[in-house]
Amino acid sequence: MANRVHLLSKIPRSTTITNNPKNPISFPFSSSIPTTTLSQQTQSTQLNSNNYQQERYQQVENLQTLLRQNSNGAAYTLTKSIILSKSNFSSPSDLFSCFSTSPIPLQITLSEMLVSVCCESKMHHEAVELCKFLFESLVNDKQFVKVLELFNKIEKSGLRLETVMYGKAIQAAVKLGDVKMGLELLDSMKKRGVWTNVFIYNVLIGGLCREKRIRDAEKLFDEMRKRNLVGSVVTYNALIDGYFKAGDVDAALRMRERMKEAGVKASVITFNSLLSGFCRMRRMEDAKSVLKDMEMNGFVPDGFTYSILLDGFFRCGDENGAVQLYEQASGKGIRISNYTGSVLLNGLCQEGKVEKAEEMLVKLLENGLVPNEVIYNTIVKGYCRSSDLNKAILTIERMEKLGLKPNHITYNSLIDKFCEMKEMDKAEEWVKKMTQKDIAPTVETYNSLIDGFGKLCRFDMCFEILEQMEEIGVIPNVVSYGSLINCLCKDGKILEAEIVLRDMISKGVLPNAHVYNMLIDGSCVVGKLRDGLRFFDEMMRREIGPTIVTYNALINGLCRKARLMEAEDLLLQITSSGLTPDVTTYNSLIFGYANSGNTLKCLELYETMKNLGIKATVNTYHTLIIGCSKEGIEVVERLYNEMLQMNLAPDRVLYNAMIQCYAEIGNTAKAHALHQEMLDRGIQTDKMTYNSLILGHFRDGKSSNINDLVDDMKSKGLTPMGYTYNILVKGHCDIKDFNRAYAWSREMFENGFLLNASIGKELIDGLKQEGQLQEVQVLCSELNIEETDDWSSSEQLSADAKT
């Protein structure tokens, strides 16, 4: 019917219309009827048909004209007349189908009129049939918001809602990302006694799986079976894919077995889902088995199948396996599409094998691949990723010689790389070249510029770019504002970042969790915990779900302020909200308790981590070893050995912590062994390393090696600072070598450092006892004290070897 109206609109009214009648009259063959009589009857039928078509055409044209003129009153009257006459249109749906090529707003207006006419005229059956037709049309046109609006109007009108209407409304809600509404509509169906079907459950299960709500999807699947609804291949495919995305491989395989037991035949999508799942999990041997199973079941792997497998090999870092797979596919005569070819080339480029990608491109071309912009954009992106911008530019020139036109994606790759390298002059130069080629910069182009200038703290340029975007009609998005907010937060400008937040909201760009995470983390880093908590509250009010990053930023901020009970409350919120604490969460808590001196709690948290299967990092052991050193060397050594067993390599901070622990107990042999291990691994020592070694020698009573350590320290360009000199003076005082202590104090003073007052008092007392009064006078003068002062008790030098 839609085609008929489409054709009618092209034929002038004066032209004879020869379309067949809608219900042609059939005559039985009889030799007794004269030929002339048959011809007259045929002509009469054709004439009637022409008149019928002409009348339909005229009524549709009149109605279209009224609707275009917004003469809705007259249009409603005409619509009602056409429907009630039933002369040229068999039903309201028949009339609506004639508007299938009309603009969507026109269709929407007419549909509302038709429903109103049907309801007003008590044509309930026609109204229901029309609504079914409308839902189908709107869903096909992806007018999902209109589907829900129509559903609500029908519901309010009191018209009977049928399964198909609910199904389309649920489909629209899920397509719009509102699975919650879809589930509410399902509950409404059940309460009203409207029969559900497999289609509805499939839509909802698919939506839940895409949101990784696999447990809720399971419940719906069980409910579906209780209602004696047999799952289709679509049902099982959604669940298998959902389990893989949730990381539950065993459950995915069990669902595949249940599919077999239910007698549901697998499809190509089933096997592709299995392949995709195993490839994401980097289980390529299992993926190869699925490929064999697929072929044994009579399915021929297509280009998309090979794209999945190629991606899997690249995830595993096996570019050789990917190349071999391509060669096997080519050997089997499988046509490699541009999409599959781009997956192969992109994988090689991501591995930094751009030259290999160029070789494979030659082979692809030899095998009949017609290169397009996507293929060459992949190569350009590869060279940009490897920072070979000269070859990226040469590739663009090559594209143009082949008659391929570089597009905004091509230029954005270069511009983004120049911004990343902070070469903003070149980035702007390429934006200019882009516009000279009549290629309009996109929002992504400007976002790269904002990020680049932001990282250079040239915020005036960032604001200028935002203004320019608005002037030329490029609407900034959440990334545009987010990049600027991120750079401001990194620079400690939280107030300015909040002003940008308010500006983006006022312009209708809604912030997401990522934007709030920047603000929360930025506030906590600069010690503005109150602002961080305020942003968190605002985030919750806007119903933006916090992520693990959100909680980690707040927990870190609370722990740094020693608000440990509140931090633990947030830990409980993480689990109650369905998220999982990670190593960052526990590292912050361990740091907080270590700073408060509660080493037992640190160790308890560490054990909890291990029990939960959360793998500790080197940073975890930094805090544990430094914080728990007072628990004794046995605890420290146990932690250190556990770290080594996890194949975590110690860094300079950790070596320094261990050297300090051994220095504290005077075990210079172990301290020097670790120092040598540092050097063997190419880890550069620092002042803290030498401070600890010097302290260890004093504790071990081996002062004869002190000078060698200081000389070695100086030879590496590590000039002793005040803390090192205080250790040297204090150490020699402890072993009653006041002359050497005084000598170090002289070097210290000459280098612009002053003795700690309590250490100075100890040295003066020692020199007095040895009768070196001249030296005493020098020290008293430098320390600005009277020789007759009543000295207070000497403070002990901190055990921590500081830089």
Side-chain angles (χ1 to χ4, degrees):
M1 187 64 69
N3 290 335
R4 181 180 297 158
V5 175
H6 184 65
L7 289 170
L8 282 171
S9 65
K10 295 181 179 179
I11 301 173
R13 278 187 241 175
S14 60
T15 304
T16 303
I17 300 174
T18 58
N19 289 25
N20 292 328
K22 184 178 180 185
N23 296 304
I25 300 171
S26 174
F27 296 97
F29 179 78
S30 173
S31 58
S32 62
I33 300 176
T35 306
T36 53
T37 305
L38 283 171
S39 176
Q40 289 172 355
Q41 289 179 344
T42 302
Q43 289 175 2
S44 175
T45 302
Q46 288 178 343
L47 184 61
N48 289 336
S49 173
N50 290 342
N51 290 337
Y52 166 78
Q53 293 286 12
Q54 188 66 42
E55 286 176 14
R56 280 170 63 90
Y57 170 83
Q58 188 63 58
Q59 286 179 320
V60 168
E61 187 182 63
N62 291 342
L63 189 51
Q64 283 179 331
T65 301
L66 290 171
L67 290 169
R68 286 195 184 96
Q69 294 173 347
N70 292 321
S71 302
N72 290 350
Y76 184 83
T77 302
L78 178 57
T79 301
K80 186 174 181 179
S81 170
I82 292 170
I83 294 303
L84 294 180
S85 70
K86 297 184 180 180
S87 57
N88 293 321
F89 298 91
S90 60
S91 67
S93 300
D94 185 13
L95 175 59
F96 182 76
S97 69
C98 294
F99 283 75
S100 62
T101 58
S102 300
I104 294 296
L106 217 67
Q107 293 185 44
I108 298 297
T109 305
L110 177 63
S111 67
E112 292 173 350
M113 288 182 180
L114 287 168
V115 172
S116 296
V117 167
C118 289
C119 291
E120 183 183 326
S121 306
K122 301 190 184 303
M123 299 168 63
H124 297 303
H125 174 73
E126 288 83 352
V128 170
E129 292 304 311
L130 171 65
C131 289
K132 291 178 184 178
F133 188 86
L134 291 175
F135 277 122
E136 187 69 36
S137 299
L138 290 169
V139 168
N140 288 341
D141 286 330
K142 296 182 171 55
Q143 297 290 316
F144 303 121
V145 173
K146 294 296 181 184
V147 170
L148 296 175
E149 288 176 358
L150 177 61
F151 184 87
N152 289 332
K153 286 179 182 177
I154 294 171
E155 191 174 35
K156 289 175 183 176
S157 72
L159 202 66
R160 177 170 53 88
L161 289 163
E162 294 192 356
T163 300
V164 68
M165 299 180 191
Y166 270 107
K168 294 301 177 184
I170 290 170
Q171 185 181 9
V174 173
K175 288 285 186 183
L176 291 168
D178 195 344
V179 181
K180 181 182 177 183
M181 180 188 287
L183 292 168
E184 288 171 353
L185 288 168
L186 176 63
D187 288 338
S188 173
M189 287 185 77
K190 290 185 282 191
K191 287 175 184 175
R192 293 183 179 186
V194 181
W195 183 252
T196 55
N197 59 23
V198 174
F199 171 80
I200 289 170
Y201 278 101
N202 284 349
V203 168
L204 288 168
I205 287 170
L208 289 167
C209 287
R210 280 190 291 276
E211 291 187 357
K212 297 184 181 179
R213 293 170 58 184
I214 192 66
R215 301 301 165 216
D216 292 328
E218 278 178 351
K219 289 176 185 176
L220 272 190
F221 182 58
D222 291 338
E223 179 184 304
M224 178 181 173
R225 294 171 66 220
K226 286 176 184 175
R227 289 174 172 265
N228 295 319
L229 294 171
V230 179
S232 66
V233 65
V234 176
T235 322
Y236 286 101
N237 287 349
L239 287 164
I240 289 168
D241 190 56
Y243 281 121
F244 270 119
K245 284 178 179 172
D248 195 341
V249 180
D250 292 336
L253 296 177
R254 284 197 300 272
M255 189 56 65
R256 171 69 180 118
E257 290 304 313
R258 288 174 69 175
M259 185 179 182
K260 291 178 183 177
E261 290 166 6
V264 178
K265 289 185 178 180
S267 65
V268 172
I269 295 173
T270 313
F271 289 107
N272 283 346
S273 293
L274 288 164
L275 285 170
S276 181
F278 282 126
C279 288
R280 279 198 299 267
M281 304 291 286
R282 295 175 172 81
R283 291 171 56 169
M284 295 311 295
E285 291 305 316
D286 290 318
K288 290 174 185 176
S289 297
V290 171
L291 184 63
K292 288 179 182 176
D293 190 22
M294 181 180 187
E295 292 171 335
M296 286 173 63
N297 278 272
F299 291 101
V300 178
D302 55 15
F304 184 66
T305 307
Y306 280 100
S307 299
I308 294 169
L309 288 163
L310 287 170
D311 181 64
F313 279 114
F314 285 122
R315 282 174 183 268
C316 297
D318 185 3
E319 66 269 12
N320 291 330
V323 171
Q324 287 172 10
L325 179 71
Y326 159 72
E327 289 171 349
Q328 287 172 13
S330 298
K332 291 179 180 178
I334 294 170
R335 185 179 177 277
I336 300 298
S337 66
N338 279 39
Y339 173 75
T340 310
S342 66
V343 170
L344 173 63
L345 298 176
N346 186 55
L348 289 167
C349 289
Q350 284 188 331
E351 291 290 323
K353 305 292 176 80
V354 191
E355 299 297 336
K356 183 66 178 177
E358 290 271 28
E359 288 178 25
M360 294 309 299
L361 177 56
V362 172
K363 289 186 179 181
L364 287 164
L365 297 175
E366 289 171 353
N367 289 333
L369 183 77
V370 179
N372 58 12
E373 288 81 4
V374 175
I375 294 291
Y376 279 101
N377 283 346
T378 302
I379 301 294
V380 171
K381 183 74 174 175
Y383 281 125
C384 289
R385 189 180 283 113
S386 61
S387 301
D388 193 342
L389 296 181
N390 289 331
K391 286 189 177 177
I393 293 167
L394 288 172
T395 304
I396 293 174
E397 293 171 359
R398 200 163 90 219
M399 285 177 72
E400 292 175 321
K401 287 177 182 176
L402 290 169
L404 297 172
K405 187 179 179 182
N407 54 25
H408 66 275
I409 297 172
T410 322
Y411 285 97
N412 283 349
S413 294
L414 269 176
I415 292 163
D416 187 60
K417 187 62 183 183
F418 280 124
C419 290
E420 182 189 315
M421 296 167 68
K422 300 181 182 178
E423 296 185 21
M424 299 310 296
D425 290 342
K426 289 184 179 177
E428 289 185 296
E429 180 188 329
W430 275 90
V431 173
K432 187 177 179 181
K433 287 182 180 180
M434 185 178 184
T435 55
Q436 287 171 348
K437 295 278 187 179
D438 293 327
I439 301 168
T442 63
V443 67
E444 290 80 15
T445 316
Y446 291 109
N447 288 351
S448 294
L449 293 170
I450 291 169
D451 191 55
F453 282 116
K455 285 174 180 173
L456 291 170
C457 296
R458 293 179 60 185
F459 301 117
D460 55 331
M461 286 298 298
C462 297
F463 287 111
E464 189 177 313
I465 291 166
L466 283 172
E467 289 176 9
Q468 184 183 345
M469 289 172 74
E470 292 177 5
E471 286 172 6
I472 63 176
V474 177
I475 300 172
N477 59 19
V478 69
V479 177
S480 316
Y481 291 105
S483 294
L484 179 52
I485 287 170
N486 184 46
C487 293
L488 287 166
C489 288
K490 288 281 169 66
D491 199 42
K493 292 179 167 42
I494 307 303
L495 177 60
E496 291 85 346
E498 183 170 1
I499 291 170
V500 175
L501 173 72
R502 301 303 164 212
D503 184 48
M504 73 182 280
I505 293 171
S506 70
K507 290 175 179 172
V509 181
L510 297 179
N512 54 22
H514 190 51
V515 171
Y516 277 107
N517 289 346
M518 297 169 189
L519 290 159
I520 291 167
D521 185 59
S523 299
C524 291
V525 166
V526 297
K528 295 183 178 181
L529 180 59
R530 183 179 295 178
D531 285 335
L533 292 167
R534 178 168 58 82
F535 287 127
F536 178 69
D537 290 340
E538 181 179 324
M539 186 179 183
M540 298 297 281
R541 284 196 307 274
R542 290 183 175 276
E543 297 185 350
I544 298 171
T547 65
I548 188 63
V549 176
T550 319
Y551 286 110
N552 283 346
L554 285 172
I555 288 171
N556 184 48
L558 289 164
C559 288
R560 288 183 180 279
K561 294 285 186 181
R563 292 165 62 172
L564 300 171
M565 294 305 294
E566 292 170 79
E568 290 225 47
D569 287 342
L570 280 181
L571 177 63
L572 294 175
Q573 279 190 41
I574 291 174
T575 52
S576 64
S577 64
L579 298 170
T580 304
D582 60 13
V583 66
T584 305
T585 319
Y586 281 95
N587 282 354
S588 295
L589 289 164
I590 290 169
F591 175 85
Y593 280 108
N595 273 1
S596 70
N598 191 343
T599 54
L600 292 178
K601 182 67 176 179
C602 292
L603 294 169
E604 180 188 318
L605 287 165
Y606 173 60
E607 291 301 321
T608 302
M609 278 180 71
K610 290 195 292 185
N611 292 335
L612 291 172
I614 298 172
K615 187 178 179 181
T617 63
V618 174
N619 286 335
T620 316
Y621 290 103
H622 285 169
T623 309
L624 283 169
I625 287 172
I626 294 169
C628 298
S629 58
K630 67 180 183 181
E631 295 296 320
I633 195 65
E634 293 82 6
V635 173
V636 170
E637 287 182 329
R638 177 175 64 84
L639 290 167
Y640 185 70
N641 288 330
E642 286 184 11
M643 184 196 76
L644 295 178
Q645 287 167 11
M646 292 175 65
N647 295 319
L648 293 172
D651 58 8
R652 183 170 59 190
V653 175
L654 223 144
Y655 273 119
N656 283 344
M658 289 300 298
I659 289 169
Q660 184 180 328
C661 288
Y662 284 119
E664 287 286 345
I665 60 173
N667 191 339
T668 54
K670 282 282 185 73
H672 274 288
L674 286 172
H675 177 223
Q676 188 58 50
E677 191 178 307
M678 282 180 77
L679 298 175
D680 293 342
R681 290 193 175 189
I683 298 173
Q684 190 175 2
T685 54
D686 60 9
K687 292 171 187 175
M688 183 177 176
T689 318
Y690 284 99
N691 287 347
S692 295
L693 288 170
I694 291 166
L695 186 63
H697 277 280
F698 279 123
R699 294 282 167 86
D700 199 24
K702 297 177 179 177
S703 60
S704 58
N705 297 324
I706 298 296
N707 286 349
D708 292 337
L709 282 170
V710 176
D711 289 342
D712 190 37
M713 182 179 182
K714 291 177 180 177
S715 71
K716 288 185 169 59
L718 301 171
T719 305
M721 304 293 282
Y723 196 82
T724 308
Y725 284 116
N726 276 307
I727 292 174
L728 290 164
V729 174
K730 171 66 174 158
H732 283 96
C733 285
D734 288 344
I735 61 175
K736 308 302 180 185
D737 187 353
F738 297 109
N739 285 327
R740 189 63 190 140
Y742 180 73
W744 283 118
S745 75
R746 296 301 81 225
E747 184 177 323
M748 180 180 187
F749 183 75
E750 288 166 5
N751 286 321
F753 301 105
L754 284 177
L755 263 174
N756 174 280
S758 61
I759 297 172
K761 185 267 177 190
E762 189 175 347
L763 177 55
I764 289 169
D765 283 348
L767 291 170
K768 277 182 179 180
Q769 290 171 13
E770 295 189 352
Q772 299 185 41
L773 299 181
Q774 185 176 353
E775 288 81 356
V776 169
Q777 287 177 344
V778 171
L779 283 171
C780 288
S781 173
E782 288 172 0
L783 295 173
N784 197 25
I785 57 176
E786 297 291 335
E787 290 185 57
T788 56
D789 281 354
D790 182 20
W791 300 98
S792 59
S793 61
S794 176
E795 298 172 6
Q796 293 296 316
L797 187 64
S798 169
D800 294 327
K802 300 177 182 176
T803 304

